[in-house]
Amino acid sequence: MNTFQKNESKETLFTPVSIEGAPPRPPSPPKKSPPKICGTNYPLSIAFIVVNEFCERFSYYGMKAVLTLYFLYFLHWDEDTSTSIYHAFSSLCYFTPILGAAIADSWLGKFKTIIYLSLVYVLGHVIKSLGAIPIFGGQTLHRVLAVIGLSLIALGTGGIKPCVAAFGGDQFEEKHAKERTKYFSIFYLSINAGSLISTFITPMLRGDIQCFGEDCYALAFGIPGLLMVIALVVFTLGSRMYKKPPPEGNIVAQVVKCIWFAISNRFKNRSGDVPKRQHWLDWATEKYPKQLILDVKALTRVLFLYIPLPMFWALLDQQGSRWTLQATRMDGNLGFFVLQPDQMQVLNPLLVLIFIPLFDLGIYRLVSKCGINFTSIRKMAVGMILACLAFAVAAVIEIKINEIAPPQVSPQAAFLQVVNLADGEVNMTVLGENNNPLLEESIKSFQKIPHYSKLHLNTKSQNLHFRMKYKNFSVYTEHFVEEKNWYSLILHGNGNNISSLMVKNEENKTTNGMTVVRFVNTLPEVVNISLGTDTAFSVGEAYGVSAYRTVETGEYPAVHCKTKDKGFYLNLGRLDFGAAYLFVITKVTPVRVFRHGRWKTGQPAKCPSHGSYHSMPWLQRRRSCSLSQDLSFLIPRLPLA
């Protein structure tokens, strides 16, 4: 017997046939029409829903834009772990809509589900923002709060995602189907507008504002959290205007049960005596109504079209993870604006807002006038082909970046760069244990291209022996090195002797899109250097070495320096995006060593008084000028007495 037929007949059981003596019922008052927007057929209530969606999407995409860099540089997870956590969070956000839809359809209804899960959403943002305050607990607490906050955000955003759009559609009367269609266009426009603005602004809050001496992730998460509070308040203000249909049952559960019954019923009737049916879902007719079966058939046909979509979204969602990490190794300087790595995601909603009206109002109409039947299936096919080409371009860019990027240091290995500041050529041999040669090299004075050489170690750390032949005598020394590190060996001498100084270089700081600088002072006096209002430090005399300092990318034509008696200016030229520099201050010329670079060649640096340029290879770039040239206006000839 068909159970749905039973349910359909229940209505007659509760309908009175005739009750003598019962007083007549008063006529029901006419249903009051909901307020409209400016005399149109659009309910005023949808304005609150659209504003709510704009603020919620601003909140979600703004928080998500900086998430990968937050994992990498604040929680100090590596790139693979950061990518995994990012995509686990995204997966949870796309899984919880099933839970939200079930709660709304079977229990609370759409309105209450949106309200309650929005509170969970706000709580997740609060916890996430607290976990981004450096002075609030230690590293372990930050990670715990991050995981809890992201879990609550995923539950909140996923829970309300399937409800808000449908709840807006419920506000329209059936006779206003045309207005309802336009509402959905406005609704999705608000989604992309919120995403566009947030992915542009939030990275600026992170990178352009400093909190506790570093990037302000607390503010970058706090502002999206505030927008979610506004979304909840706006949605609540429209409560009295909404139509609030009651729960109607979980349609997902009904579809699953229908499919399961059809499959099980088919297997129960495998006998040849049972007549075959036209479609495998027709085996559910004994229990489920014909309309539901027709709807499920339509659903299975649509699902066939969705087979390529998981692969597409698996790649597209990498714009917030691997594509952002790729952008950290690229120059975001557009000339008029410096694009932050996490602002790369702004291109997606921006192009959506541009291309949708461009195609609908322009390109598709032209194609139609040419007599080409450009169906929806063909549009999807062309879109998939263009998407494949886009992903291929991203893959080629990644391959090229990896080709020119600094090589990864393997265990029991280190990289050494030799900078010869002596006034003559030095022949150097590096010896490991048992005096086996690790490196033999001849380095000219102030060489143009000091490169990195890989040294294979016998243990995780050891003393390396250096034998240097300089002019007519030899010098032996040793330096301690550790595996997986980069080092610069600075040689200096005056014709009678030669000395060496080993400095450990930074290999990780440059990947966050910032620039780091270090100075070596060959002068016999302490030099005070001012790179800006917030960056001033001293470099010790007689080959003192400063710590690395983080500075903004850009031109530094006049860096103020001061000794005890005199002041002067250095023209450092342009400091490029995502690079580390070693500057050597001498009486003759500044040498700029560019290491851990991102590109095969960079902008050449011009010598002050003549027009020679030098293009530099990937591991370094230096400004090289003739030693006979007078550079006293750059580095004054200070008294050495």
Side-chain angles (χ1 to χ4, degrees):
M1 184 176 290
N2 195 326
T3 57
F4 277 83
Q5 291 175 354
K6 284 184 179 181
N7 293 338
E8 289 167 2
S9 64
K10 282 182 182 179
E11 188 175 351
T12 60
L13 297 177
F14 296 94
T15 303
V17 178
S18 175
I19 304 177
E20 293 184 6
R25 292 183 179 177
S28 349
K31 211 178 250 185
K32 188 177 179 181
S33 179
K36 307 291 185 180
I37 299 177
C38 300
T40 65
N41 291 324
Y42 293 93
L44 182 60
S45 56
I46 66 168
F48 295 90
I49 297 174
V50 170
V51 173
N52 165 270
E53 184 65 12
F54 171 84
C55 295
E56 188 273 330
R57 290 291 89 184
F58 186 107
S59 170
Y60 176 75
Y61 284 108
M63 176 275 305
K64 199 175 178 183
V66 300
L67 204 53
T68 299
L69 298 186
Y70 168 73
F71 291 156
L72 196 62
Y73 302 120
F74 189 86
L75 298 183
H76 301 293
W77 284 328
D78 58 34
E79 291 190 358
D80 292 335
T81 303
S82 300
T83 302
S84 300
I85 299 297
Y86 177 89
H87 288 294
F89 168 71
S90 297
S91 301
L92 189 59
C93 289
Y94 286 104
F95 175 78
T96 50
I98 300 175
L99 178 61
I103 293 174
D105 292 340
S106 304
W107 181 25
L108 296 177
K110 300 183 186 71
F111 176 76
K112 290 184 179 179
T113 301
I114 294 171
I115 292 291
Y116 294 157
L117 291 182
S118 292
L119 293 172
V120 175
Y121 203 158
V122 170
L123 178 61
H125 272 295
V126 171
I127 294 175
K128 191 76 186 65
S129 300
L130 289 176
I133 300 176
I135 62 174
F136 188 76
Q139 192 69 248
T140 302
L141 180 61
H142 291 158
R143 293 180 177 180
V144 171
L145 291 177
V147 172
I148 294 174
L150 289 175
S151 301
L152 294 176
I153 290 173
L155 178 61
T157 186
I160 68 177
K161 191 187 294 289
C163 301
V164 178
F167 187 69
D170 291 339
Q171 308 308 308
F172 290 86
E173 300 173 10
E174 290 300 326
K175 59 183 178 181
H176 298 145
K178 184 178 180 181
E179 286 80 3
R180 181 165 52 197
T181 301
K182 291 183 178 179
Y183 151 74
F184 283 112
S185 298
I186 297 172
F187 182 84
Y188 290 112
L189 178 66
S190 70
I191 291 176
N192 286 284
S195 172
L196 172 67
I197 297 173
S198 65
T199 50
F200 181 77
I201 292 178
T202 309
M204 296 174 65
L205 297 176
R206 172 197 63 81
D208 295 346
I209 299 175
Q210 296 290 303
C211 296
F212 309 100
E214 55 187 56
D215 285 353
C216 197
Y217 290 101
L219 183 63
F221 291 136
I223 296 299
L226 177 62
L227 264 293
M228 189 57 219
V229 173
I230 296 174
L232 177 58
V233 171
V234 170
F235 184 78
T236 307
L237 289 176
S239 176
R240 294 185 179 182
M241 304 179 190
Y242 298 141
K243 290 182 180 178
K244 303 172 185 175
E248 298 177 352
N250 190 350
I251 187 63
V252 176
Q254 292 182 25
V255 170
V256 172
K257 289 178 181 179
C258 178
I259 294 174
W260 176 252
F261 181 81
I263 295 173
S264 59
N265 194 30
R266 175 67 184 88
F267 275 93
K268 288 178 183 177
N269 296 277
R270 295 192 301 270
S271 173
D273 298 332
V274 179
K276 295 183 179 180
R277 302 188 183 183
Q278 187 175 4
H279 194 278
W280 63 273
L281 278 169
D282 291 335
W283 290 96
T285 53
E286 286 85 351
K287 187 175 181 181
Y288 293 94
K290 184 177 181 180
Q291 185 59 47
L292 177 65
I293 294 174
L294 290 175
D295 291 341
V296 176
K297 287 180 181 179
L299 174 65
T300 56
R301 288 193 295 270
V302 171
L303 288 178
F304 183 78
L305 297 176
Y306 286 172
I307 291 175
L309 292 187
M311 293 172 279
F312 169 78
W313 283 104
L315 291 172
L316 184 63
D317 206 45
Q318 292 186 30
Q319 64 180 324
S321 58
R322 286 295 177 178
W323 287 8
T324 298
L325 295 175
Q326 184 185 80
T328 63
R329 297 179 289 165
M330 301 169 69
D331 190 352
N333 187 4
L334 304 179
F336 59 90
F337 180 75
V338 177
L339 192 68
Q340 298 288 342
D342 36 4
Q343 282 180 322
M344 292 287 291
Q345 303 170 59
V346 78
L347 296 176
N348 181 31
L350 176 62
L351 295 178
V352 167
L353 293 175
I354 293 174
F355 284 161
I356 286 181
L358 176 64
F359 274 78
D360 287 342
L361 302 177
I363 295 177
Y364 288 152
R365 292 187 179 184
L366 291 175
V367 171
S368 178
K369 288 184 178 181
C370 293
I372 300 175
N373 184 20
F374 205 37
T375 63
S376 298
I377 297 296
R378 292 176 179 176
K379 292 176 184 177
M380 291 177 61
V382 172
M384 289 292 180
I385 294 173
L386 294 176
C388 291
L389 294 176
F391 293 128
V393 170
V396 170
I397 292 174
E398 183 68 16
I399 292 171
K400 292 298 181 181
I401 289 175
N402 291 334
E403 286 179 356
I404 61 178
Q408 296 295 320
V409 185
S410 57
Q412 294 191 5
F415 275 96
L416 177 68
Q417 175 194 63
V418 183
V419 181
N420 183 9
L421 305 182
D423 56 0
E425 184 176 350
V426 177
N427 294 312
M428 187 185 69
T429 303
V430 182
L431 303 174
E433 293 185 359
N434 302 321
N435 290 327
N436 58 311
L438 302 179
L439 174 67
E440 294 185 14
E441 191 171 17
S442 177
I443 309 106
K444 295 181 179 179
S445 178
F446 283 85
Q447 73 277 39
K448 293 182 179 180
I449 307 175
H451 59 275
Y452 277 95
S453 301
K454 187 175 183 179
L455 304 178
H456 296 279
L457 310 179
N458 295 324
T459 58
K460 292 184 177 180
S461 60
Q462 70 182 74
N463 286 320
L464 298 181
H465 303 278
F466 293 80
R467 183 175 61 197
M468 293 171 285
K469 293 183 178 180
Y470 173 62
K471 296 189 175 179
N472 295 324
F473 55 88
S474 297
V475 175
Y476 294 86
T477 185
E478 64 179 39
H479 292 285
F480 178 79
V481 296
E482 296 178 315
E483 66 174 1
K484 299 182 180 180
N485 283 300
W486 303 73
Y487 295 91
S488 290
L489 182 67
I490 300 173
L491 308 179
H492 55 93
N494 56 8
N496 299 321
N497 197 4
I498 187 170
S499 300
S500 60
L501 174 68
M502 180 78 81
V503 293
K504 185 178 178 181
N505 296 329
E506 294 286 343
E507 69 276 5
N508 295 322
K509 281 189 176 181
T510 61
T511 57
N512 64 355
M514 297 297 291
T515 301
V516 290
V517 297
R518 164 184 273 179
F519 288 83
V520 177
N521 177 25
T522 67
L523 304 179
E525 299 181 69
V526 175
V527 176
N528 297 305
I529 301 175
S530 177
L531 285 169
T533 55
D534 300 328
T535 309
F537 54 94
S538 299
V539 188
E541 73 278 8
Y543 292 92
V545 181
S546 71
Y548 273 101
R549 304 283 176 168
T550 301
V551 297
E552 295 290 338
T553 302
E555 297 285 344
Y556 288 82
V559 173
H560 184 256
C561 301
K562 186 179 180 181
T563 63
K564 183 178 179 181
D565 301 322
K566 293 186 178 182
F568 55 93
Y569 291 88
L570 294 178
N571 180 5
L572 304 183
R574 175 172 177 78
L575 302 185
D576 287 329
F577 181 89
Y581 294 86
L582 175 64
F583 292 92
V584 179
I585 303 175
T586 70
K587 292 189 300 179
V588 180
T589 176
V591 177
R592 182 170 64 178
V593 178
F594 171 72
R595 49 175 209 78
H596 304 303
R598 302 301 176 211
W599 314 276
K600 197 164 188 175
T601 59
Q603 286 293 334
K606 187 175 182 180
C607 294
S609 59
H610 61 77
S612 65
Y613 285 79
H614 305 281
S615 294
M616 311 303 167
W618 65 270
L619 269 183
Q620 74 310 193
R621 189 179 76 189
R622 61 172 288 210
R623 184 164 67 195
S624 176
C625 303
S626 171
L627 292 181
S628 62
Q629 180 187 354
D630 183 9
L631 298 178
S632 58
F633 66 97
L634 272 181
I635 307 289
R637 298 184 185 277
L638 302 177
L640 302 182

